[in-house]
Amino acid sequence: MPERYTVPKVENYFTEALSKSANELRAALKRETAQLIIEASKRDQSFHLELKAFRDRWLGRKTGIISQINEIWLHGAPAEHKKAVGQIVNELRGEIERDVIEAIDGAQAISSLSDVDVREVTSDLKQILLERDRLDITLPGIRRPVGAEHPVIKALNEIVSVFKAMGYSVSEGPEIETDYYNFEALNFPPNHPARDTQDTLFIAGQQSKPPRERLLLRTHTSPVQIRTMENLAPPIRVVIPGKVHRNDAPDASHSPMFHQVEGLAVDTSITFCDLKGTLDHAMKALFGSRVRTRFQPSFFPFTEPSAEVAISCIFCRGKGCRTCKQSGWIELLGCGMVDPNVFEFVRDNGYDPAKVSGFAFGMGADRIALLKYGVDDIQLFFQGDVRFLEQFA
Ligand code: DAH
């Protein structure tokens, strides 16, 4: 019989540690019992010797395991622990006596069974021997919940698919961007106040680099307009979903990390009418055909003219409510005709501002998700609470 239990010394007499030792002893006795039964099933001539050895090891008057736990655990215990240790040892003694006698009875019975019976019994017992890796089928199973799209990703995908249906392709760009793509090539001159509106998070330790090569967390998806035009000659129609960062304090409508979908269409005769028609259609596709759009003049360095687009409030249909602050309108995105200065940066790739024109737009996907799914706090999207998120599955 391999693996024989020996009584360990006690270092720690607190009940918890001692119960652990007691449980280890119980497990060892179970293992040895199972091994004994396997041996019994072989019905060797010498089995009665093994039985006797087993009995003596556990119950033997002087050196059996019961005597040892009495000696090592109880007698060795400091006075203040004696009572508790005594209780544990007593309990254990009763259990060992009972289990060892049962094991011996069982083993004797098995050693006198017929071949066929023995095979059945032992195959069960081999199972028990695999104590440590045993599968307890009474334990609750491990649930593996099916994952689901995050509501913001869901909104991003929905927005993208509206434009895909109009023939747009999809592009992506890096979240760590250079000053050149995030600002300069988008016609934000150095030190221009428009940069301040972007609350940029800069990567530290970039002072030794020329300004345009310094790295930052992109504040918008617009830099991918330039990257796309560097790679693809006109005509293009592209949407760009992605994550952006700004140094904003988090509150119900702001998050330092959020998502945008950028759009860009460049061709030989694109007009502001195309822009209006495209965005009006997209808003109706996203929020329902009753929704109306409103374009108001605005300013962005990379578009001229620029506009701010609002949709009629989807909650009150434009009558005025708390969500639209009684105005009847919800501002949703920025857009405009691509500024010729922007084309100058990619002129060599076929974007001669005298020959091509285009429009661009950018919208916040988190804000659209808030509106579409009736959520009133953007923070809920990013706290990772499954109870909230699973509602969108
Ligand atoms: N990038 C702008 C922002 O984050 C949004 C935007 C406005 C994008 C107008 C555009 C645009 O492409 O034409 O505030």
Side-chain angles (χ1 to χ4, degrees):
M1 245 190 272
E3 235 198 289
R4 287 198 169 148
Y5 178 75
T6 50
V7 178
K9 286 222 167 60
V10 182
E11 316 268 347
N12 174 349
Y13 281 94
F14 287 102
T15 316
E16 212 173 275
L18 218 52
S19 305
K20 197 171 157 238
S21 303
N23 285 337
E24 281 162 8
L25 181 149
R26 289 186 179 101
L29 177 53
K30 264 197 188 166
R31 268 198 307 275
E32 287 189 25
T33 301
Q35 271 160 352
L36 183 77
I37 303 272
I38 299 263
E39 289 304 311
S41 69
K42 294 180 186 158
R43 288 169 305 157
D44 289 342
Q45 291 288 315
S46 61
F47 180 63
H48 66 281
L49 293 177
E50 278 182 41
L51 258 192
K52 185 173 172 341
F54 173 78
R55 191 189 169 287
D56 290 348
R57 252 170 42 68
W58 287 92
L59 307 182
R61 217 20 65 95
K62 282 206 177 125
T63 54
I65 285 164
I66 290 189
S67 322
Q68 286 184 43
I69 58 174
N70 239 357
E71 198 57 41
I72 304 179
W73 293 6
L74 184 57
H75 291 164
E80 70 268 30
H81 290 296
K82 275 237 154 65
K83 197 170 156 212
V85 178
Q87 226 168 27
I88 290 175
V89 167
N90 261 342
E91 244 173 61
L92 212 48
R93 183 190 299 140
E95 274 178 52
I96 297 173
E97 278 169 357
R98 192 195 59 214
D99 292 350
V100 168
I101 289 170
E102 253 175 39
I104 290 173
D105 287 350
Q108 260 165 350
I110 282 179
S111 69
S112 55
L113 286 176
S114 76
D115 277 353
V116 178
D117 294 338
V118 163
R119 227 174 286 136
E120 270 174 25
V121 178
T122 53
S123 66
D124 279 355
L125 286 166
K126 278 186 187 138
Q127 248 352 79
I128 299 170
L129 268 183
L130 299 170
E131 189 78 25
R132 252 159 288 174
D133 328 303
R134 197 180 58 184
L135 174 69
D136 182 350
I137 59 165
T138 65
L139 287 173
I142 300 167
R143 242 174 233 270
R144 300 201 188 280
V146 183
E149 262 178 349
H150 187 280
V152 172
I153 299 296
K154 198 167 159 164
L156 274 176
N157 286 341
E158 236 180 285
I159 299 164
V160 165
S161 64
V162 165
F163 287 94
K164 269 190 178 171
M166 290 192 269
Y168 282 63
S169 52
V170 185
S171 249
E172 282 181 310
E175 285 171 39
I176 297 177
E177 209 24 302
T178 58
D179 182 280
Y180 176 78
Y181 286 109
N182 198 79
F183 290 124
E184 191 179 331
L186 288 167
N187 198 32
F188 286 81
N191 304 317
H192 191 276
R195 290 178 175 231
D196 300 344
T197 65
Q198 301 259 333
D199 298 309
T200 312
L201 291 159
F202 293 92
I203 308 274
Q206 306 277 306
Q207 287 77 358
S208 61
K209 290 187 184 170
R212 55 158 57 174
E213 283 172 30
R214 292 183 192 163
L215 298 173
L216 45 82
L217 298 183
R218 69 177 178 192
T219 57
H220 50 179
T221 43
S222 305
V224 193
Q225 288 188 29
I226 308 299
R227 290 182 175 277
T228 306
M229 290 191 282
E230 282 179 346
N231 285 324
L232 297 172
I236 55 167
R237 312 273 188 278
V238 65
V239 274
I240 302 142
K243 195 175 275 182
V244 302
H245 293 81
R246 286 189 199 181
N247 185 19
D248 270 339
D251 64 26
S253 54
H254 293 85
S255 161
M257 182 282 299
F258 58 105
H259 301 79
Q260 292 186 332
V261 178
E262 189 81 15
L264 176 67
V266 183
D267 211 327
T268 45
S269 54
I270 298 232
T271 68
F272 201 88
C273 286
D274 299 316
L275 171 60
K276 283 188 81 175
T278 303
L279 289 180
D280 188 71
H281 168 80
M283 293 303 118
K284 287 180 163 67
L286 287 171
F287 293 103
S289 51
R290 283 170 182 266
V291 154
R292 287 167 291 132
T293 48
R294 180 191 73 181
F295 289 70
Q296 285 187 320
S298 183
F299 173 79
F300 298 101
F302 38 95
T303 43
E304 184 60 34
S306 304
E308 198 79 60
V309 183
I311 59 166
S312 54
C313 180
I314 54 173
F315 300 103
C316 63
R317 299 231 179 94
K319 283 196 206 72
C321 67
R322 249 186 42 186
T323 307
C324 62
K325 297 201 187 95
Q326 309 305 329
S327 72
W329 296 95
I330 298 176
E331 285 193 357
L332 221 45
L333 66 145
C335 66
M337 300 307 290
V338 179
D339 193 301
N341 290 342
V342 171
F343 285 138
E344 287 296 345
F345 286 92
V346 285
R347 184 187 191 104
D348 292 347
N349 201 26
Y351 292 90
D352 177 349
K355 293 187 181 143
V356 295
S357 62
F359 63 72
F361 56 85
M363 59 186 91
D366 320 77
R367 214 166 121 62
I368 291 177
L370 290 174
L371 291 170
K372 276 183 79 77
Y373 308 136
V375 175
D376 59 10
D377 186 343
I378 194 174
Q379 298 304 321
L380 288 166
F381 286 147
F382 307 125
Q383 283 160 350
D385 187 333
V386 173
R387 292 167 303 178
F388 168 77
L389 295 173
E390 70 187 358
Q391 297 174 64
F392 303 90

